[in-house]
Amino acid sequence: MRVVCLAGGVGGAKLAEGLQRGLAPGELTVIVNTGDDLERHSLAICPDQDTVMYTLAGIAGPEGWGLAGETWHVMGALARLGEGTWFHLGDKDIATHLYRTERLRRGERPTEVSLGLCRALGISSQILPMTDESVRTRVRTDDGWLDFQDYFVRLRQAPEVRAVEFAGIERAQATPEVREAFRTADAIVVAPSNPIVSIGPILAVPGIVDEIASARARGVRSVGVSGIVGGKALRGPADRMLASLGDEATALGVARRYAAVALLDAFVMDRIDEALAPTVRALGLQVVVTDTIMNDAAARLRLARDVLAAAGPAA
Ligand code: FO1
């Protein structure tokens, strides 16, 4: 069963890891958000791609991003030189950014670099950037526009978000690899990532929504998972962002966003939100109510199996 999973950072990576374990090697393709990408210390950094990559390789750090067993000597040395070190890059993680930056400078496409990293780390799944063109998520706060990582890491998501833009999106294109993944998919999964700044940029890449619509027209089922549980984001600022952008900060608010772009056949939400199920069903979605909190490897695999069951022909 070939599965295409759309994902952002930590939450998406956990479900992707469950899917990878529930599928045969090579059956999973993860399309990752690149709107969070940035350049720091002259290095090309792709946080969501790397979070998914390290998680699928079983080497992710304790916070879910970065690497396990890190040391921070380079950051310490940069701080002594007076450089800003608010974006923490571990010593081993820096090797990934050196590898990527070098290959991009030589003219490789971001997709080729990502596939090279997956091979080097022995990952059986493919991780594809949503596009090879540069797209940068920016958020408008009461103090003006901010680059995404300025808002997310440096300011710890404290400001209210009044608007979001994906700079460069109009010049972006779905890559041949992304198109091929949708054309050969048996199921599409939308991970429990932030619907606005993780899944939003992927859906905004010209061509991607059309590929999803074509896949669904040939009978491929598309299943989304809510990252809002009991009115709270499992991680990050999705709940506050939904509210400040005028949506309901619940699983229903997430379902409404996806229903507005006719993205899904089925929606998976937590047992705690069961009372919202009839309203979500009224949007035309099949609803699966289950445990969605992925605290350990067993929970990731269990949720992945529920999602795959909802995506299967018998659902
Ligand atoms: N998140 C943080 O909260 N603080 C950091 O210093 C930080 C550094 C970092 C370095 C490399 C990387 O791949 C990810 C990193 N992240 C960090 C996570 C990341 O920026 C966010 O979780 C995502 O962009 C949101 O999906």
Side-chain angles (χ1 to χ4, degrees), residues 276-285 287:
L276 298 171
T279 327
V280 175
R281 247 178 238 120
L283 298 170
L285 299 171
V287 174

Side-chain angles (χ1 to χ4, degrees), residues 8-11 33 35-38 45-51 54 63-67 72 85-90 93 97 100 148-149 152-154 156-157 194 197-198 235 237:
V10 176
N33 168 39
D36 294 14
D37 293 3
L38 72 162
I45 301 165
C46 304
D48 285 357
Q49 184 190 119
D50 291 347
T51 297
Y54 294 151
E63 307 287 334
W65 52 266
L67 281 156
W72 304 92
T85 53
W86 54 267
F87 197 78
H88 300 104
L89 298 172
D93 187 29
H97 312 312
R100 172 181 294 121
F148 183 77
Q149 298 295 350
F152 194 94
V153 174
R154 189 173 64 82
R156 297 164 196 259
Q157 310 129 49
N194 185 316
V197 291
S198 297
R235 205 191 154 83

Side-chain angles (χ1 to χ4, degrees), residues 98-174:
L98 289 168
Y99 173 107
R100 172 181 294 121
T101 306
E102 167 87 14
R103 278 163 179 74
L104 292 174
R105 287 217 179 114
R106 276 195 231 134
E108 278 188 39
R109 292 185 297 128
T111 298
E112 293 167 333
V113 178
S114 176
L115 292 173
L117 281 163
C118 288
R119 272 193 302 275
L121 294 180
I123 298 170
S124 65
S125 308
Q126 298 194 90
I127 301 172
L128 299 177
M130 66 187 195
T131 181
D132 280 336
E133 281 78 35
S134 166
V135 174
R136 291 292 174 268
T137 298
R138 288 159 48 78
V139 297
R140 185 163 59 76
T141 69
D142 291 338
D143 294 325
W145 286 96
L146 294 171
D147 291 338
F148 183 77
Q149 298 295 350
D150 254 358
Y151 156 76
F152 194 94
V153 174
R154 189 173 64 82
L155 298 175
R156 297 164 196 259
Q157 310 129 49
E160 288 294 288
V161 172
R162 306 291 176 198
V164 173
E165 69 169 22
F166 310 128
I169 199 78
E170 54 306 318
R171 290 185 305 279
Q173 287 177 23

